[in-house]
Amino acid sequence: MHNRYLKIISGVVILYAASLTAQSRDAHNPVIHADVPDMSMIRVGNTYYMSSTTMHMSPGVPVMKSEDLVNWELVNYAYDVLDTVDALTLTNGKNTYGRGSWASCLRYHNGMYYLSTFAQTTGKTHIYTTKDIEKGPWKAISFKPSYHDHTIFFDDDGKIYLIWGGGELRMVELKEDLSGVKEGTERVLIANASVPAGPDMGLPAEGSQLFKVNGKYYLFNIAWPKGGMRTVIVHRADKITGPYEGRVVLQDKGVAQGGLIDTPEGKWFAYLFRDYGAVGRIPYLVPVRWADGWPVLGVEGKVPETLDLPAGKGLIPSIADSDDFERKEGEPALPLVWQWNHNPDPDHWSLEDRKGFFRITTSRVDTTFLSARNTLTQRTIGPESAGTVSLDVSGMKEGDFAGLALLQKGYGMIGVRSEKGNKFICMVNAETGEPAEIKRIPLTQRTVYLKAECDFRDRKDEARFFYSLDGKQWSSLGNTLHMKYTLPHFMGYRFALFNYATENPGGHVDFDYFKISDRISK
């Protein structure tokens, strides 16, 4: 009887242990099915922080937080505005689509957080520092030139280095206050970092991120052989100055560009991203083991679908979220999920003019949606997502156009035009690069409901647009938008709330809410 009881207990323990193991392997790649490219990641104690790229959006350089490497939430941005040049404010015919600030580098050293980026738009390298990465404030430092895809590294001897470049990688030493480069310290670090990936490169090695593990230096880069896929290259050295030896450490599904992160328990992962069509560049985690002093990425060289990490809980409300535009005293005007397309014009948007509504007032005449100011955006999410707004159009002026868009170079829109004393619900398709009004119907009431649905499943990359007169019964309008990720914008599609004037400035519209869902109608 006693032995039988022990066997039963042992069986229960085995089943329970097996259950725990199964539960722990619930995480799936991609860990974030949304546009979060060029990640840089650190761990401080048991907490992980990650920065990413949002280019022409303001505020910029988002910071995300996680306790488990899988479930991330937005907690801050490095800056409200990068600069106030015409290209960033959409003035005098200028814009900075696909430029703005690019790949960042996030570091923690002696109780201080350092977040650096670079911008073709300003021609500068920008470094932001804070003791509180979640609340700030940030101190901003900038200097010329703009060091492409750089990594900052604080070495054990107190020296601060910056490595950058494409193909040929170079290194400089920074001044102790990070205000610029020490003269006479620039050197070629690796003459041709692409060599391990082959002789014929479409994209030479770039995206540098440097790490020090067990006394050795490991420099991660991405390269793209012609006719091949994005590839992860690692160079290692005993000294930061080299010499470096390199090898390909991952070539699967085009998952590449990133670096290393370890857990408090001693597990290692590489954080990387994958180009995934119209939704953007999406983050993956790849397990890492060490062999002969080299990081070995993947499972038998492949990117696994499942990970020995906690399950993902979804991207809503941590990465994207609905908003009823109601604000309690002390709350920020806009939650972190929102970013402006370029710098906002603060005098012409408001949550105060009509409580519980987001108002955009036109300040000038524009010819296209892409030149309009105060367009408010947030990420679309995969594998599918829908955005819905309630819009009061009673304050529009002749020639105004307002509504909900999917923002990229080949954008799509559903909105209301005020024309010849009448209003029309219109669907516009700009997938060819030129906007074309596909269909319109008359609107005779002040409030209309608009919806955009995105289907990113298996890179289908299709969007459809709908309207409703009561918020309950929906009708499709226009045709299917075939979404395409384009380099001129270099960003996944975004839901966008807009209003612009084509004849007379001063009109306004009021958005009552924006709702996002991870389901679309079938």
Side-chain angles (χ1 to χ4, degrees), residues 403-439:
L404 176 65
L406 290 171
L407 173 59
Q408 233 277 359
K409 183 176 184 290
Y411 59 86
M413 317 160 72
I414 186 165
V416 176
R417 287 191 195 273
S418 180
E419 190 174 291
K420 296 180 180 178
N422 297 304
K423 292 185 175 69
F424 302 89
I425 307 173
C426 304
M427 185 269 171
V428 173
N429 187 320
E431 66 183 49
T432 65
E434 293 295 329
E437 184 180 295
I438 305 302
K439 191 171 183 179

Side-chain angles (χ1 to χ4, degrees), residues 69-370:
L69 280 176
V70 175
N71 295 285
W72 294 88
E73 63 173 323
L74 282 158
V75 294
N76 210 342
Y77 290 92
Y79 61 78
D80 287 328
V81 295
L82 179 67
D83 205 328
T84 56
V85 296
D86 286 350
L88 286 163
T89 58
L90 285 171
T91 50
N92 294 318
K94 301 286 184 64
N95 72 71
T96 194
Y97 284 112
R99 298 188 298 277
S101 62
W102 279 11
S104 57
C105 178
L106 179 60
R107 294 290 179 260
Y108 179 73
H109 179 68
N110 288 344
M112 186 74 73
Y113 295 90
Y114 298 83
L115 187 45
S116 64
T117 185
F118 68 102
Q120 297 176 345
T121 309
T122 62
K124 295 178 181 179
T125 295
H126 299 261
I127 301 177
Y128 302 90
T129 64
T130 186
K131 290 186 176 180
D132 189 341
I133 193 171
E134 296 186 34
K135 297 179 181 177
W138 295 90
K139 176 185 175 183
I141 304 167
S142 64
F143 53 84
K144 292 186 175 183
S146 174
Y147 286 107
H148 177 83
D149 275 15
H150 67 258
T151 180
I152 288 180
F153 188 82
F154 295 85
D155 211 350
D156 298 335
D157 59 4
K159 293 183 177 180
I160 310 169
Y161 295 94
L162 184 148
I163 298 168
W164 83 98
E168 180 185 78
L169 304 182
R170 305 178 75 87
M171 183 171 75
V172 291
E173 189 178 338
L174 296 180
K175 297 176 181 178
E176 286 78 5
D177 62 0
L178 300 174
S179 61
V181 171
K182 286 187 177 180
E183 291 185 11
T185 62
E186 183 171 335
R187 62 187 296 160
V188 174
L189 190 67
I190 304 174
N192 186 355
S194 309
V195 166
D200 198 9
M201 285 297 109
L203 176 72
E206 62 175 22
S208 295
Q209 293 198 37
L210 183 67
F211 307 88
K212 192 174 186 179
V213 181
N214 295 330
K216 289 186 181 290
Y217 299 86
Y218 295 89
L219 183 60
F220 275 63
N221 289 99
I222 179 177
W224 197 339
K226 289 183 179 178
M229 68 180 72
R230 290 183 182 268
T231 301
V232 183
I233 298 172
V234 169
H235 286 81
R236 75 173 185 183
D238 294 321
K239 297 179 179 180
I240 194 169
T241 52
Y244 283 85
E245 55 177 330
R247 62 170 59 174
V248 169
V249 296
L250 185 68
Q251 196 172 53
D252 183 43
K253 297 184 174 69
V255 174
Q257 187 161 341
L260 287 171
I261 194 74
D262 67 339
T263 72
E265 297 76 30
K267 294 180 183 178
W268 287 85
F269 292 89
Y271 56 88
L272 307 161
F273 71 76
R274 182 184 186 186
D275 291 275
Y276 208 72
V279 76
R281 296 177 289 170
I282 58 180
Y284 278 66
L285 287 174
V286 177
V288 173
R289 62 181 177 86
W290 293 87
D292 301 323
W294 286 95
V296 179
L297 275 62
V299 178
E300 297 182 353
K302 300 296 182 182
V303 176
E305 290 187 7
T306 60
L307 297 162
D308 190 14
L309 289 168
K313 299 175 183 176
L315 304 185
I316 302 171
S318 54
I319 302 297
D321 199 10
S322 301
D323 194 347
D324 62 7
F325 300 116
E326 298 279 355
R327 298 291 180 264
K328 296 177 182 177
E329 187 174 348
E331 286 185 331
L334 291 171
L336 294 171
V337 293
W338 291 114
Q339 287 177 285
W340 301 100
N341 178 21
H342 292 64
N343 293 1
D345 175 4
D347 294 332
H348 291 89
W349 71 270
S350 174
L351 293 170
E352 299 294 328
D353 289 350
R354 184 181 177 188
K355 294 288 187 177
F357 290 79
F358 167 59
R359 175 170 291 184
I360 308 176
T361 302
T362 62
S363 61
R364 66 184 190 189
V365 171
D366 282 294
T367 56
T368 71
F369 162 62
L370 295 180

Side-chain angles (χ1 to χ4, degrees), residues 32-37 50-54 57 59 61-64 74 76-77 279 281 283 315-316 318-321 336-339 376-382 385-387 406 454 456 491-496 514 516-517:
I32 302 176
H33 202 141
D35 194 49
V36 183
M50 173 172 68
S51 62
S52 179
T53 297
T54 47
M57 298 292 168
V61 191
V63 177
M64 302 179 187
L74 282 158
N76 210 342
Y77 290 92
V279 76
R281 296 177 289 170
L315 304 185
I316 302 171
S318 54
I319 302 297
D321 199 10
L336 294 171
V337 293
W338 291 114
Q339 287 177 285
L376 189 62
T377 82
Q378 61 172 284
R379 293 171 180 83
T380 58
I381 61 176
S385 53
L406 290 171
C454 303
F456 300 113
M491 186 173 288
Y493 276 77
R494 284 183 163 243
F495 294 114
F514 169 82
I516 187 170
S517 169

